[in-house]
Amino acid sequence: MIRHNLIGFLSSLFALVGLIFVMMDGSHFPLLQWPYEAFQGLVFSFVWGFGVSITIGYFFSIMVVVTVLVVSFALGHKLSRCFGRNR
């Protein structure tokens, strides 16, 4: 059970890093500022693209990040249970 949770955690971490990389690829910002700038870019996309308020833009951005983390954890956990030996 611990191994399945670890694989799920690693898959969610890789998905978050992948999301940040996709949003910040080709950026001139230092690597340590990428997570902050990716999140702010996501907020900007919601606010400017859909015309919602800034508070709703932050809420939608948080929900996108949480959804990516939860779905990738569930996929990693399920794939680990399917392909791994049960002990």
Side-chain angles (χ1 to χ4, degrees), residues 1-4 79-87:
M1 185 67 169
I2 294 174
R3 186 189 73 197
H4 303 308
L79 286 175
S80 175
R81 290 178 59 108
C82 287
F83 294 120
R85 294 183 305 218
N86 291 332
R87 290 185 178 196

Side-chain angles (χ1 to χ4, degrees), residues 42-79:
L42 195 58
V43 171
F44 174 77
S45 298
F46 281 122
V47 170
W48 186 75
F50 294 118
V52 298
S53 70
I54 295 173
T55 306
I56 299 298
Y58 274 105
F59 177 73
F60 284 168
S61 299
I62 290 170
M63 292 308 296
V64 165
V65 170
V66 168
T67 302
V68 166
L69 290 174
V70 168
V71 168
S72 60
F73 178 84
L75 285 174
H77 185 81
K78 188 69 169 176
L79 286 175

Side-chain angles (χ1 to χ4, degrees), residues 4-16:
H4 303 308
N5 289 338
L6 181 64
I7 298 295
F9 174 74
L10 289 176
S11 67
S12 64
L13 181 68
F14 288 144
L16 184 62

